[in-house]
Amino acid sequence: MKVTTEELGNREILIKVEFDGEEKKEALKEAVQIISGEINIPGFRKGKAPYDVVRRTVGERLIYEVAFEELSRKIYPKLITDLNLEPIAPGQVHEVSVEPFSITFKVPLKPIVDLGDYRSLRVKRKKVKVNEEEIQEKLLKLQEEKATWITVERAASGGDLIIADLTFKSGHQENKMENVVLYLDPETEPIKGLSQNLEGLTPGQEKTFTLQKENEEITLQVKVHEVKEKQLPPLDDEFARSVGDFNSLSELKEQIQQELLELKKFVNEEEALAEALDILVKNAKVEMPPLLVELEIENFLQEEDKALRKRGLSLENYLKMQGKTLEEHRQEILPEVTERLKRRLVLRKFIEEEGLKISEEEVTKVLEKFESTLTDKKTKRDVRSPNFKQGLTMALFRAKVERRLLEIMLEEEVDEGESHNPDGD
């Protein structure tokens, strides 16, 4: 038996096994025994019919097919071991030959991921600040929440609300509504142009006008009863006390500043993490067999189909509605799927390189701490469930990986005014 290999690139290899005359003879003999043991041949016991009789009964092609099948089953595992290969899936028979008597296997190998000098990669974490304008913006929102509406004896203007009777006419249909509240705000108006037509109206005034909604023309008759304007409470210590446990407006502003700062830090960290992952993946070199991409595409399609079925559709019907074939869709998603697979392989390699693990003790410690804050018995039972623990373990491990990545790559951005001057100038 002669074994030769040929690397195809993209982590695929061909293994060709060529058998000598004696091995060929034994393989065909065994194939004949298997075939004659499975069919009835007049004049012979099962498994005892000679080669020529079996050949005349079933044809030589079937004998060779069975011989190749049995040889493949027997020698493939030994080939993988002897050649010290790491397949990610079973190899496939790529080619068989009667002369010379041989079998060629195509084997998808484990991907190779080279992270390069990832420890030298850097991402900048920007300095975060909260300015007075942002604090005032938050205060204004709080004022809006505490605002009251007071009746005024003047013409309606932007930002007001009016209480009016409305009559809608569209075609032959008419709909009347009494004491409707209408906000004069172009951003939230149900029909474009409504606020503009209501501005300038005074209590007791009536107006008829026509608006266009999509392809429909609507005539509106409005009779105004009241005009109200928004009154914001003054920004003082009393306002602060009405908002929460604050003694003064100054305390409220300090709290707002801290909350905005924490939010900015969180967003900043998330952006830095996303950038770090992008740089890690971009810097890495990944070789993977086409079969792995195909398996990832199948997983992606199953996820899509599952999501669509929750909406009462199937992937097949959805593609028909889009006028696309499944093959066209597969080509469309190929770049996204390939990138997703690459990111996962790179992250897995990073975890391996850094030796990251999550211990039972770490999970138990967090679990016990969380459980100590609970009082509801049912919630406590849920927390003790295997599913909750598994989810917590995954979340803690993901956080550990992200933290380690930032530890390696993150670099604080220094303001120009904060740069160190050794001369003290």
Side-chain angles (χ1 to χ4, degrees):
M1 184 171 70
K2 179 183 175 184
V3 178
T4 56
T5 61
E6 178 188 352
E7 293 190 8
L8 300 177
N10 290 329
R11 300 300 290 153
E12 283 188 315
I13 188 171
L14 291 180
I15 307 173
K16 184 176 182 180
V17 185
E18 192 172 326
F19 303 91
D20 59 30
E22 190 60 33
E23 290 168 327
K24 175 181 178 180
K25 183 178 177 181
E26 285 299 316
L28 293 176
K29 180 181 177 182
E30 185 179 348
V32 164
Q33 288 178 335
I34 291 171
I35 294 170
S36 64
E38 293 177 349
I39 63 174
N40 292 317
I41 299 179
F44 297 94
R45 285 182 297 157
K46 284 194 172 184
K48 299 299 181 179
Y51 184 93
D52 287 340
V53 173
V54 174
R55 178 173 59 80
R56 286 196 300 270
T57 304
V58 300
E60 195 167 49
R61 180 175 179 177
L62 180 61
I63 296 173
Y64 274 91
E65 285 177 358
V66 173
F68 284 131
E69 185 178 332
E70 285 301 302
L71 280 172
S72 299
R73 183 179 60 81
K74 289 179 179 178
I75 66 170
Y76 179 76
K78 188 174 185 306
L79 288 171
I80 297 302
T81 302
D82 292 348
L83 294 171
N84 196 28
L85 299 177
E86 292 185 277
I88 58 154
Q92 304 294 319
V93 175
H94 178 64
E95 188 179 66
V96 293
S97 172
V98 173
E99 194 59 47
F101 193 69
S102 63
I103 305 174
T104 302
F105 299 96
K106 181 188 280 188
V107 183
L109 301 178
K110 183 180 176 181
I112 291 179
V113 181
D114 180 6
L115 297 182
D117 186 15
Y118 68 92
R119 288 178 172 272
S120 67
L121 301 175
R122 295 289 179 268
V123 294
K124 296 278 188 181
R125 176 156 59 186
K126 300 172 186 176
K127 286 282 186 180
V128 291
K129 296 177 183 177
V130 176
N131 57 45
E132 183 63 26
E133 184 181 340
E134 292 170 310
I135 296 173
Q136 291 300 323
E137 187 178 327
K138 177 62 176 178
L139 284 171
L140 179 58
K141 288 181 180 178
L142 292 174
Q143 281 181 289
E144 295 276 358
E145 292 173 7
K146 297 285 184 179
T148 56
W149 292 92
I150 61 170
T151 301
V152 292
E153 295 297 326
R154 61 166 174 78
S157 61
D160 288 342
L161 67 78
I162 66 171
I163 298 173
D165 294 340
L166 280 181
T167 301
F168 288 84
K169 292 181 180 179
S170 176
H172 299 293
Q173 293 184 336
E174 182 174 299
N175 188 18
K176 294 183 178 181
M177 293 182 288
E178 295 181 346
N179 297 319
V180 178
V181 176
L182 298 169
Y183 293 92
L184 274 62
D185 181 3
E187 297 295 324
T188 60
E189 61 186 7
I191 306 174
K192 187 174 177 59
L194 178 62
S195 298
Q196 183 181 351
N197 277 277
L198 295 178
E199 287 186 24
L201 296 182
T202 56
Q205 189 174 354
E206 296 184 30
K207 183 178 180 180
T208 301
F209 53 93
T210 301
L211 296 176
Q212 196 76 19
K213 186 177 183 181
E214 297 174 354
N215 296 324
E216 184 181 14
E217 191 173 76
I218 300 174
T219 299
L220 295 93
Q221 292 178 336
V222 182
K223 182 178 181 180
V224 179
H225 294 308
E226 285 185 83
V227 176
K228 292 177 177 285
E229 72 174 13
K230 185 186 294 182
Q231 189 171 66
L232 300 178
L235 285 176
D236 53 22
D237 293 344
E238 185 62 34
F239 172 75
R241 285 189 284 271
S242 73
V243 171
D245 189 19
F246 304 103
N247 293 317
S248 65
L249 181 61
S250 178
E251 282 187 16
L252 173 58
K253 291 177 71 174
E254 286 177 10
Q255 177 68 22
I256 290 172
Q257 183 181 31
Q258 188 59 35
E259 289 177 355
L260 291 175
L261 191 61
E262 290 302 318
L263 178 60
K264 283 191 172 187
K265 284 180 179 178
F266 173 77
V267 172
N268 200 18
E269 189 111 329
E270 290 296 301
E271 289 175 350
L273 178 61
E275 186 181 351
L277 281 169
D278 287 343
I279 292 174
L280 183 70
V281 173
K282 188 176 180 179
N283 189 66
K285 294 180 180 177
V286 179
E287 291 182 57
M288 53 189 171
L291 175 63
L292 199 59
V293 178
E294 285 300 312
L295 292 173
E296 187 73 8
I297 287 175
E298 290 304 316
N299 288 336
F300 191 93
L301 293 175
Q302 287 176 17
E303 290 171 10
E304 277 193 315
D305 186 60
K306 186 177 179 180
L308 285 166
R309 286 185 184 278
K310 289 180 179 179
R311 294 159 49 190
L313 280 170
S314 68
L315 181 58
E316 182 182 1
N317 290 335
Y318 174 76
L319 291 177
K320 283 180 180 177
M321 290 166 59
Q322 298 292 315
K324 297 176 186 175
T325 65
L326 181 59
E327 184 55 37
E328 285 172 340
H329 185 55
R330 289 172 71 93
Q331 291 303 313
E332 281 181 349
I333 65 175
L334 179 60
E336 179 185 350
V337 168
T338 305
E339 181 64 18
R340 186 173 82 163
L341 177 59
K342 182 182 179 182
R343 290 177 77 88
R344 190 164 67 247
L345 292 172
V346 167
L347 204 53
R348 190 181 298 167
K349 182 67 174 179
F350 174 77
I351 291 168
E352 179 187 319
E353 290 288 325
E354 293 297 313
L356 298 174
K357 296 177 182 178
I358 192 79
S359 67
E360 184 72 20
E361 290 75 20
E362 288 176 279
V363 178
T364 302
K365 185 178 178 181
V366 174
L367 201 57
E368 289 176 349
K369 186 177 180 181
F370 178 59
E371 192 176 346
S372 68
T373 65
L374 302 174
T375 55
D376 182 65
K377 290 183 179 180
K378 183 182 182 304
T379 307
K380 280 191 173 185
R381 284 197 303 272
D382 292 341
V383 165
R384 296 187 189 116
S385 71
N387 285 342
F388 185 89
K389 185 176 181 181
Q390 183 182 18
L392 177 63
T393 302
M394 291 175 64
L396 290 175
F397 185 56
R398 183 169 58 250
K400 177 180 277 192
V401 173
E402 292 172 352
R403 190 164 57 248
R404 181 59 185 148
L405 185 61
L406 290 178
E407 284 174 0
I408 293 171
M409 293 192 190
L410 200 56
E411 190 174 81
E412 295 287 351
E413 189 175 79
V414 180
D415 289 342
E416 290 182 10
E418 296 179 7
S419 59
H420 178 63
N421 187 338
D423 298 325
D425 295 335

